């Protein structure tokens, strides 16, 4: 009668949603200020003023058919040219508008890329810990997600484990750096090693293996860290970018895919992306927001709140006795839970009104995620609670 799979996807709440809803209920009982909700990755920094100004100016002064009408499926040509130029200025690439395909954020960009590439029996790999939605995005195109176990000392890649997961069915590898949930940024050495290995395997298997670089957190990189631009290291790369986090626009659904000329069979891959977008009924990315990001392309993001929050939470947790890799970017901390069962740990944390997400949901049991894109004072006031939580394990 209906698709059981779709029913399950539509009705089964994610752990993050369940925790978030628990938080809302608890806030009604004990007051908003007494609930420390680290569950959601919803940016709390306001959208930059230049983005709002651009949106208002476009709404008031640009021809309505350009603001509210359809665009061509890949997106407004001038917008794509402007974004391509800003990428070239930053990363020394040589893209033009024809290398970009505007999408409804990174989620659409990634799913369209999987759909464009996947043939029956294909596998996409990801290194744990990873953004859980990849699972249903990959399965939605009939492919399989293969998870490489985490290298928990630094959340870079364990190359022995990685190589053991590669098979002739591997069609692509998801690279998410800065990473949700670990906050790690893959070093240049990691990207170079990954590129060397994949080139060797392309040769061995006789077909392309694509990197799908999922980069919604590219701009949120802390002092001393740079995020290598993957197409400069590996030619078969599709970059999936989003303005959800860098411009705090998650509800507006705007991002893009970059398909470099150097990608094997550029014309076919770009054509398949257009076809995948078509069957996924992704008619075009929102016209207004295409114009806005076209005007604002390359402008800086204010990450000072995330820097401050990350340091505060990291130092507080270390002081409370937690073990944690220091975040290098994004706005997540991924510490070790204080007992093996991360679900039990997060349940216990709830007793202290600390809302944390079990690492198992990210493919990494024994850890938990704390999203620190929340008010700094909430983090300040949560620190004694973390101490109480830690102390409860001493008893
Ligand atoms: N990829 C990662 C790693 C994310 O964390 C998110 C959102 O949190 C997305 C993709 C989806 O982003 P968007 O809002 O651009 O669809």
């Amino acid at each position: 009668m209906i698709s059981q799979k779709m029913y399950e996807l539509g009705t089964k709440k994610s752990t993050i949603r369940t925790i978030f809803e628990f938080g809302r209920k608890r806030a009604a009982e004990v007051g908003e200020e007494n609930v420390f909700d680290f569950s959601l990755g919803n940016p709390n920094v306001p959208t930059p003023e230049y983005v709002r100004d651009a949106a208002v100016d476009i709404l008031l002064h640009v021809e309505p058919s350009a603001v509210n009408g359809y665009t061509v499926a890949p997106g407004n040509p001038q917008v794509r040219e402007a974004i391509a130029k800003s990428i070239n200025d930053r990363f020394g690439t040589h893209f033009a508008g024809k290398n970009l395909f505007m999408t409804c954020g990174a989620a659409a960009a990634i799913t369209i890329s999987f759909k464009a590439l996947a043939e029956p029996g294909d596998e996409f790999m990801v290194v744990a810990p990873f953004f859980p939605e990849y699972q249903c995005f990959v399965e939605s195109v009939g492919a399989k997600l293969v998870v490489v176990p985490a290298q928990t000392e630094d959340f870079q890649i364990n190359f022995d484990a990685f190589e053991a997961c590669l098979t002739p069915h591997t069609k692509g590898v998801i690279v998410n750096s800065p990473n949700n949930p670990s906050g790690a940024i893959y070093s240049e050495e990691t990207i170079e090693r990954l590129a060397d290995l994949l080139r060797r395997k392309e040769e061995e298997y006789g077909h392309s293996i694509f990197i799908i670089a999922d980069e919604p957190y590219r701009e949120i990189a802390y002092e001393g860290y740079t995020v290598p631009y993957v197409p400069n290291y590996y030619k078969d790369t599709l970059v999936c970018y989003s303005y959800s986090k860098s411009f705090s626009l998650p509800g507006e659904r705007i991002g893009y895919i970059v398909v470099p000329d150097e990608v094997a069979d550029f014309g076919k891959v770009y054509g398949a992306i257009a076809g995948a977008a078509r069957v996924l009924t992704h008619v075009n990315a929102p016209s207004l927001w295409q114009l806005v990001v076209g005007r604002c392309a390359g402008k800086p993001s204010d990450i000072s709140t995330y820097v401050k929050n990350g340091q505060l939470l990291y130092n507080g947790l270390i002081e409370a006795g937690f073990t944690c890799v220091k975040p290098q970017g994004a706005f997540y901390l991924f510490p070790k839970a204080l007992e093996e069962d991360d679900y039990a740990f997060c349940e216990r944390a709830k007793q202290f009104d600390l809302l944390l997400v079990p690492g198992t949901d990210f493919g990494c049991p024994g850890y938990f995620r704390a999203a620190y894109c929340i008010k700094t004072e909430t983090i300040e006031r949560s620190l004694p609670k973390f101490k109480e939580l830690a102390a409860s394990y001493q008893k």
Side-chain angles (χ1 to χ4, degrees):
M1 194 180 58
I2 50 145
S3 158
Q4 187 59 25
K5 178 87 192 157
M6 291 304 120
Y7 175 76
E8 280 163 17
L9 276 173
T11 52
K12 194 175 147 223
K13 282 194 196 132
S14 71
T15 313
I16 297 177
R17 269 280 140 206
T18 311
I19 296 171
F20 175 72
E21 283 171 18
F22 169 84
R24 296 297 81 221
K25 214 172 111 224
R26 190 76 185 127
E29 288 161 14
V30 297
E32 193 75 49
E33 67 289 358
N34 295 316
V35 179
F36 306 101
D37 188 350
F38 292 92
S39 66
L40 280 191
N42 205 6
N44 67 318
V45 171
T47 301
E49 241 169 69
Y50 56 78
V51 171
R52 273 184 297 156
D53 290 349
V56 170
D57 186 62
I58 290 165
L59 278 170
L60 291 177
H61 300 118
V62 175
E63 166 76 19
S65 65
V67 183
N68 309 118
Y70 292 120
T71 67
V72 290
N76 180 311
Q78 286 86 35
V79 167
R80 285 185 286 139
E81 284 298 336
I83 296 174
K85 183 178 174 314
S86 87
I87 299 173
N88 295 340
D89 290 345
R90 290 176 63 197
F91 307 116
T93 47
H94 302 284
F95 302 138
K98 71 175 171 60
N99 298 106
L100 269 80
F101 197 101
M102 302 303 295
T103 63
C104 298
I110 308 160
T111 310
I112 290 170
S113 301
F114 292 150
K115 180 94 182 151
L117 298 175
E119 294 172 285
D122 276 350
E123 295 172 354
F124 290 90
M125 278 169 60
V126 69
V127 177
F130 65 93
F131 177 52
E133 291 297 281
Y134 294 147
Q135 186 85 43
C136 70
F137 296 168
V138 165
E139 286 175 4
S140 78
V141 305
K144 181 177 158 199
L145 187 72
V146 175
V147 179
V148 182
Q151 176 165 295
T152 51
E153 310 83 74
D154 56 4
F155 296 117
Q156 299 285 311
I157 299 175
N158 177 331
F159 280 96
D160 290 337
F162 188 93
E163 191 162 353
C165 290
L166 281 160
T167 77
H169 298 293
T170 307
K171 178 55 70 71
V173 174
I174 305 162
V175 168
N176 171 224
S177 166
N179 185 268
N180 172 10
S182 73
I185 292 176
Y186 284 163
S187 64
E188 186 170 41
E189 192 196 340
T190 296
I191 296 293
E192 277 172 348
R193 218 172 142 188
L194 176 66
D196 284 345
L197 173 60
L198 294 182
R199 273 191 289 270
R200 189 154 54 76
K201 289 291 173 178
E202 283 191 325
E203 187 84 21
E204 184 184 325
Y205 299 150
H207 64 74
S208 306
I209 301 174
F210 294 88
I211 288 184
I212 293 105
D214 178 23
E215 304 201 332
Y217 302 97
R218 162 162 288 281
E219 271 58 64
I220 310 174
Y222 302 149
E223 211 181 321
Y225 297 97
T226 44
V227 187
Y229 198 65
V230 187
N232 288 340
Y233 297 81
Y234 186 72
K235 74 178 184 59
D236 287 330
T237 299
L238 305 180
V239 180
C240 296
Y241 184 80
S242 165
Y243 294 94
S244 291
K245 317 287 172 171
S246 56
F247 284 174
S248 297
L249 289 174
E252 307 302 348
R253 315 306 306 137
I254 188 75
Y256 57 80
I257 306 171
V258 179
V259 187
D261 284 330
E262 292 74 20
V263 157
D265 282 327
F266 166 81
K268 283 198 173 166
V269 172
Y270 196 90
I273 283 187
R278 186 175 174 191
V279 299
L280 293 169
T281 67
H282 183 286
V283 178
N284 62 247
S287 302
L288 165 64
W289 293 99
Q290 287 192 47
L291 293 171
V292 173
V293 299
R295 275 205 197 173
C296 300
K299 294 210 170 156
S301 309
D302 179 6
I303 64 165
S304 56
T305 302
Y306 303 137
V307 173
K308 192 166 48 176
N309 286 0
Q311 278 169 358
L312 186 64
L313 186 61
Y314 173 80
N315 291 338
L317 288 192
I318 296 295
E319 206 186 303
F322 286 83
T323 314
C324 183
V325 174
K326 200 168 186 180
Q328 301 169 338
F331 38 58
Y332 306 102
L333 220 58
F334 200 64
K336 206 166 173 7
L338 297 177
E339 60 182 300
E340 221 171 283
D341 181 343
D342 46 313
Y343 274 92
F345 171 78
C346 292
E347 273 306 310
R348 188 188 290 211
K350 275 186 187 169
Q351 294 167 17
F352 299 86
D353 288 311
L354 292 167
L355 307 188
L356 310 167
V357 186
T360 300
D361 277 36
F362 304 94
C364 193
Y367 286 74
F368 68 94
R369 188 188 80 170
Y372 55 78
C373 44
I374 57 174
K375 284 190 195 140
T376 307
E377 75 225 42
T378 306
I379 298 177
E380 274 161 0
R381 287 191 308 101
S382 75
L383 297 181
K385 296 282 176 185
F386 277 107
K387 278 195 177 153
E388 285 173 40
L389 170 62
S392 78
Y393 280 93
Q394 312 298 327
K395 284 176 192 155

